[in-house]
Amino acid sequence: MTATLTRLEHLLGDRLLRPGSPGFREAAQVEFGAFDRTPAAVAQVMTTAEVSAVVRAARDHGLPVAVRAGGHSYARHGLAADALVVDLRRMDAVTIAPERRIGLAEGGATAGAYTAAAAEYGLATGFGDTPTVGIAGLTLGGGSGFLSRRDGLTVDNLLGAEVVLADGRVVTTDERHAPDLFWALRGGGGNFGVVTSLTFRLRPTPVVTGGLLILEPTPAAVTGAVEAVLAAPDGLSALVNVLVAPPMPMLPEAVHGRPVLMVAPCWSGPEEEAEAALAPLRALGEPLFDDVAPRPYPELLQGPPGTGMVLHPVMRTGFVDDVDEAWSATALGSLGTVAAPMAVVSLRPLGGAVVRTAPDATAFVHRDRAVMVSVGAITPEAAVPAASAWVERTAAGLDLGAAGYVNFMSTATPDDVAAAYPGEVLERLREVKRRYDPENVFRANHNITP
């Protein structure tokens, strides 16, 4: 290992950070979780050629490789004990070609930076719902967000990618070039190489109608919100969350600490049709808060507020096809037993363009399910056992089943991998893994073994 790191120091200089060196702890710290996984070194790369050299050096000396892209990860894949971390955060350039409606992002770019650049031309690609998420990681897992019912998942809008393979070779993949690799990248996670750039389709999105609609939480309102989105035109996507209200200044103080229904809609269809599309949601009850209005699309992407604490995520994810009032009552009732400062049952109605893509077109295969559900708690370390128990109990009560969405998993067990990639999909991914990474160099992820 010493020879490997010495070799890389000649290439990267002070951008190769070892334990104890200035900046190492900051570079190795992840957004969620304590500093409990110490990598062998962090390579702060700036070019694809540097990524290739780092991967070659690590492979030649048997050093594990982990990849850190631009944002956060619930499962903390950017770090692995004793691994060489390829840190892409300095490779964060975004280029928008408005006349071709194409966006190019380096592997360390965030959704916020890309979305802001595209919005200058009235264009957008859908990347989840927060500005701090890294584009590469989100895309490799699938990508569900405010534009999914109109445009499909993020992977449905990926046109191509540049990838550094396990042997250091650089390949460009798309529907015509290395199509098996391109299929696997669209949902199969970071198992196949370091994605150094991605090319996306852009859609005209000058103004959307969205914001927050917060309501009293009744089973009828939760069920009605999901049904309203699923029945709406494709231009309406929404997050439907049941949670204990944080001390948000726009809410009456009496509501703080009580369960609420928080709907975050986004209408991206014709502006003159927004009122009719949103009417069924507004008819669910007198709002506690409603700021849903026309606005530039980037304003919808809101990051979580900082707490100043080291927090740990505990997440379970699955899919359901029917959210009736009994199911909704169970979701609401779970909030009465939560033992974490931040906890949520989050529902993402799918359908629309998501289901119109063939189920075998990408490695994300849960397209025929009606609603993606995440049960999550973010908590200080001391409360992790209690939060984990609540998450497991709630997920079981909601009958989330064996399927899962890899981007919302806080653990990375073989069962998690099987849930994300059921049946023949996992075997097809293993075939691609055997071709491009037979030695399993890239394993600090929801690992698909060769």
Side-chain angles (χ1 to χ4, degrees):
M1 180 169 66
T2 301
T4 302
L5 298 184
T6 299
R7 172 177 164 185
L8 292 176
E9 278 181 335
H10 288 301
L11 173 69
L12 301 176
D14 61 6
R15 289 186 286 114
L16 183 77
L17 306 177
R18 300 200 200 192
S21 64
F24 172 81
R25 186 178 180 88
E26 292 76 15
Q29 179 68 58
V30 293
E31 183 168 351
F32 293 117
F35 189 83
D36 59 354
R37 301 181 185 184
T38 304
V42 177
Q44 297 180 318
V45 292
M46 297 181 68
T47 66
T48 298
E50 289 183 349
V51 174
S52 177
V54 169
V55 171
R56 285 182 198 274
R59 181 175 179 271
D60 289 348
H61 294 85
L63 193 61
V65 175
V67 182
R68 182 169 188 173
H72 58 260
S73 167
Y74 290 123
R76 294 188 287 158
H77 293 145
L79 286 186
D82 301 321
L84 177 58
V85 175
V86 181
D87 186 347
L88 297 173
R89 286 176 294 175
R90 296 191 181 195
M91 295 179 64
D92 61 354
V94 172
T95 303
I96 304 298
E99 68 286 348
R100 299 166 59 204
R101 292 186 180 174
I102 287 176
L104 177 69
E106 289 188 308
T110 63
Y114 178 106
T115 300
E120 293 183 13
Y121 303 96
L123 302 170
T125 304
F127 293 117
D129 51 81
T130 64
T132 56
V133 68
I135 285 176
L138 178 139
T139 302
L140 295 179
S144 171
F146 285 128
L147 301 178
S148 293
R149 284 174 39 83
R150 187 192 74 175
D151 299 345
L153 302 173
T154 304
V155 289
D156 302 331
N157 294 283
L158 181 67
L159 300 175
E162 180 185 76
V163 187
V164 177
L165 301 177
D167 59 6
R169 285 182 298 139
V170 180
V171 300
T172 299
T173 179
D174 54 31
E175 291 281 9
R176 294 183 301 162
H177 305 92
D180 57 342
L181 177 61
F182 189 56
W183 172 85
L185 291 178
R186 290 177 291 166
N191 279 282
F192 310 99
V194 185
V195 177
T196 50
S197 71
L198 307 99
T199 304
F200 296 98
R201 180 184 299 110
L202 289 158
R203 289 280 301 272
T205 314
V207 175
V208 297
T209 301
L212 285 181
L213 178 64
I214 303 178
L215 302 163
E216 290 286 355
T218 66
V222 176
T223 296
V226 173
E227 290 178 345
V229 178
L230 289 174
D234 294 354
L236 182 65
S237 294
L239 306 182
V240 179
N241 296 329
V242 293
L243 72 163
V244 174
M248 302 171 72
M250 74 282 284
L251 289 176
E253 190 171 341
V255 175
H256 296 174
R258 290 204 291 113
V260 295
L261 170 60
M262 182 181 293
V263 183
C266 172
W267 171 255
S268 55
E271 190 172 355
E272 64 274 13
E273 298 176 16
E275 184 176 347
L278 293 164
L281 292 175
R282 288 198 163 110
L284 295 173
E286 187 68 25
L288 299 168
F289 177 77
D290 180 357
D291 75 344
V292 177
R295 62 188 74 219
Y297 175 64
E299 290 187 9
L300 283 195
L301 305 185
Q302 298 293 324
T307 65
M309 297 186 293
V310 174
L311 297 175
H312 299 256
V314 183
M315 302 282 289
R316 277 290 306 275
T317 179
F319 297 86
V320 297
D321 295 316
D322 184 28
V323 178
D324 59 19
E325 290 191 29
W327 191 98
S328 297
T330 299
L332 288 169
S334 72
L335 297 177
T337 63
V338 69
M342 290 180 280
V344 64
V345 178
S346 180
L347 299 91
R348 294 173 183 248
L350 300 177
V354 175
V355 77
R356 287 198 297 274
T357 297
D360 61 352
T362 69
F364 178 94
V365 296
H366 307 292
R367 297 177 180 277
D368 59 338
R369 307 305 300 271
V371 183
M372 180 191 298
V373 182
S374 300
V375 179
I378 299 179
T379 182
E381 184 173 12
V384 165
S388 297
W390 176 81
V391 167
E392 293 300 323
R393 185 169 62 248
T394 301
L398 296 175
D399 194 22
L400 297 190
Y405 176 46
V406 71
N407 280 354
F408 289 163
M409 293 177 174
S410 60
T411 56
T413 67
D415 286 344
D416 294 325
V417 173
Y421 312 113
E424 296 179 359
V425 178
L426 183 55
E427 183 50 42
R428 185 176 174 185
L429 286 166
R430 283 183 172 142
E431 291 177 3
V432 179
K433 182 77 169 180
R434 285 191 286 269
R435 179 172 181 181
Y436 292 99
D437 184 16
E439 298 175 10
N440 204 15
V441 171
F442 301 108
R443 58 185 180 270
N445 45 45
H446 287 90
N447 191 227
I448 295 164
T449 54

